[in-house]
Amino acid sequence: DAKTTQPTSMDCAEGRAANLPCNHSTISGNEYVYWYRQIHSQGPQYIIHGLKNNETNEMASLIITEDRKSSTLILPHATLRDTAVYYCIVKSNSGYALNFGKGTSLLVTP
Amino acid sequence: NAGVMQNPRHLVRRRGQEARLRCSPMKGHSHVYWYRQLPEEGLKFMVYLQKENIIDESGMPKERFSAEFPKEGPSILRIQQVVRGDSAAYFCASSPIEDSTDTQYFGPGTRLTVL
């Protein structure tokens, strides 16, 4: 599975949009981009995933560039409860393991 | 629909004892994955099981660790003769058989402390 690169940490003011970038320049055609988050030692929470089209659900939006080499997770109106470590993971359908890496530690401030 | 359940949530063992961690997947899910998170580190894949079959155990330590997912009942991760280095959070995830992208949904984890 392709490797991902994320900033170590980010800050966001409560109520503003949080935009979390991820680089995956070696992604293959059959590999999906997944986003999970982990809130203070809880179990990882699935957020969203996509292949090449932009995706939106009740939690977030996922914007994938046309060349698929990078993506951005958008939390449209961040709240204090969104403070967590966010993981961008690339995985093919035939792969089993999610490679969590170090993720981005997002701090939402009042 | 209840989520993935793990028990116990916290487990304390002395060196040399056995630890048994249980995972009940979400209803309708027949794929189970175990991950380990050492202190201050990311989650690492250990093993992937389907009912009565181990599909991939490439992340499991070669000794003392075993996993099963019987036809009836929860998946069990068993650690024999625990050592202090086994202290970690162990997370289980499950995925549905009909989901071709195999999205994994995680449980709350079991925190193992070895004294």
Side-chain angles (χ1 to χ4, degrees):
Chain A
D1 295 330
K3 191 171 180 176
T4 62
T5 304
Q6 299 178 252
T8 303
S9 63
M10 293 182 65
D11 292 348
C12 178
E14 188 178 20
R16 304 297 293 269
N19 298 286
L20 292 89
C22 179
N23 286 323
H24 31 79
S25 58
T26 60
I27 193 169
S28 300
N30 67 341
E31 289 181 320
Y32 286 74
V33 179
Y34 285 81
W35 284 84
Y36 282 80
R37 72 181 182 184
Q38 188 174 26
I39 298 173
H40 188 54
S41 300
Q42 295 179 21
Q45 179 185 22
Y46 165 76
I47 301 173
I48 199 167
H49 74 280
L51 183 62
K52 50 185 175 182
N53 297 323
N54 297 338
E55 302 289 343
T56 295
N57 63 21
E58 64 278 4
M59 287 183 68
S61 294
L62 174 59
I63 309 298
I64 302 175
T65 58
E66 194 168 339
D67 63 7
R68 303 213 318 127
K69 293 186 177 182
S70 65
S71 60
T72 301
L73 178 75
I74 301 173
L75 307 179
H77 306 286
T79 70
L80 299 179
R81 286 177 293 182
D82 291 322
T83 292
V85 179
Y86 287 76
Y87 297 96
C88 170
I89 300 167
V90 169
K91 190 182 80 67
S92 71
N93 269 0
S94 58
Y96 311 128
L98 293 170
N99 181 3
F100 278 83
K102 296 188 183 301
T104 296
S105 179
L106 175 69
L107 176 64
V108 181
T109 56
Chain B
N1 188 8
V4 177
M5 296 180 7
Q6 292 187 247
N7 67 81
R9 295 290 304 276
H10 299 273
L11 183 62
V12 179
R13 285 288 178 265
R14 297 191 180 278
R15 282 179 296 171
Q17 292 184 318
E18 179 181 285
R20 291 170 69 89
L21 288 63
R22 294 174 185 76
C23 169
S24 296
M26 289 176 68
K27 187 176 180 180
H29 288 195
S30 60
H31 302 239
V32 166
Y33 313 78
W34 285 93
Y35 291 78
R36 178 168 67 173
Q37 187 171 31
L38 295 170
E40 307 302 323
E41 293 189 14
L43 281 80
K44 303 294 183 188
F45 168 79
M46 299 180 75
V47 61
Y48 164 38
L49 310 102
Q50 296 177 15
K51 284 285 187 181
E52 299 184 280
N53 286 305
I54 296 174
I55 307 301
D56 181 355
E57 56 182 347
S58 59
M60 288 271 275
K62 294 289 184 280
E63 297 178 351
R64 302 187 297 107
F65 284 73
S66 62
E68 63 178 7
F69 189 16
K71 188 176 180 181
E72 301 291 338
S75 175
I76 306 286
L77 180 68
R78 183 181 176 204
I79 312 172
Q80 295 178 291
Q81 299 176 318
V82 296
V83 301
R84 288 216 173 107
D86 297 332
S87 294
Y90 292 82
F91 294 98
C92 164
S94 71
S95 66
I97 193 169
E98 66 271 15
D99 184 348
S100 63
T101 59
D102 293 333
T103 300
Q104 297 176 29
Y105 299 90
F106 284 80
T110 293
R111 276 143 191 86
L112 173 65
T113 301
V114 179
L115 302 178

